[in-house]
């Protein structure tokens, strides 16, 4: 009985982990820009299209989100949008960011405001 329960829990955990993989991998794939040229992020970076269709990326280990105006903003670590719609990122490379039950951003290290100046424009692939 215990072995069967452990087996079911293991299968459930594997399925749960596999469900999250496509979402994470999708952020790191190459994307065509408005001219149709493929643009790929650097390793450990993510890209998003801005409201004009231009592809903008985070730095390696950093986060990227679209602000309330549809413009990409980036941070040194991963980012989270708080209850007011402001975006905060971890001050640490690959640092986690989330929102607590009151809607406030919480981050590994410190929370810093996401800024467009922290984003990079990738070079199209040849």
């Amino acid at each position: 009985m215990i072995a069967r329960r452990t087996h079911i829990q293991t299968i459930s955990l594997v399925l749960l982990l596999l469900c999250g993989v496509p979402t994470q991998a999708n952020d790191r794939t190459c994307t065509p820009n408005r001219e149709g040229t493929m643009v790929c992020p650097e390793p450990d970076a993510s890209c998003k299209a801005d409201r004009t269709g231009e592809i903008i990326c985070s730095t390696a280990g950093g986060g990227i989100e679209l602000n309330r105006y549809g413009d990409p903003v980036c941070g040194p670590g991963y980012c989270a949008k708080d209850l007011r719609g402001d975006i905060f990122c971890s001050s640490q490379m690959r640092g986690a960011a989330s929102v607590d039950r009151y809607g406030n951003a919480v981050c590994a290290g410190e929370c810093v405001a996401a800024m467009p100046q922290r984003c990079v424009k990738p070079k199209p692939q040849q």
Side-chain angles (χ1 to χ4, degrees), residues 39 46-50 53-58 64 71-74 116 118-122:
V39 176
S46 298
C47 298
K48 292 191 180 283
D50 68 6
E54 186 173 2
I55 305 298
I56 307 293
C57 300
S58 68
I64 184 170
D71 298 319
V73 291
C74 301
R118 291 190 175 124
C119 297
V120 295
K121 292 183 183 179

Side-chain angles (χ1 to χ4, degrees), residues 9 11 15 20-21 24 28 40 51 60 62 66 72 75 86 94 99-100 108 112:
Q9 290 172 339
I11 291 172
L15 290 174
V21 170
Q24 293 171 356
R28 289 163 182 82
C40 302
R51 58 187 163 164
L66 297 177
D86 297 322
R94 290 186 204 92
V99 178
D100 68 12
V112 296

Side-chain angles (χ1 to χ4, degrees), residues 8-31:
I8 292 171
Q9 290 172 339
T10 303
I11 291 172
S12 299
L13 179 62
V14 169
L15 290 174
L16 181 63
L17 291 173
L18 288 176
C19 289
V21 170
T23 304
Q24 293 171 356
N26 211 10
D27 286 344
R28 289 163 182 82
T29 58
C30 300
T31 307

Side-chain angles (χ1 to χ4, degrees), residues 32-89:
N33 63 13
R34 38 181 186 211
E35 289 84 31
T37 306
M38 293 304 285
V39 176
C40 302
E42 293 294 320
D44 200 23
S46 298
C47 298
K48 292 191 180 283
D50 68 6
R51 58 187 163 164
T52 66
E54 186 173 2
I55 305 298
I56 307 293
C57 300
S58 68
T59 57
I64 184 170
E65 294 291 334
L66 297 177
N67 66 14
R68 59 178 61 100
Y69 308 108
D71 298 319
V73 291
C74 301
Y78 302 124
C79 305
K81 191 179 291 191
D82 72 4
L83 183 64
R84 294 176 301 279
D86 297 322
I87 301 170
F88 292 95
C89 307

Side-chain angles (χ1 to χ4, degrees), residues 110-125:
E110 296 180 43
C111 285
V112 296
M115 299 173 21
Q117 296 84 356
R118 291 190 175 124
C119 297
V120 295
K121 292 183 183 179
K123 295 180 182 173
Q125 301 300 304

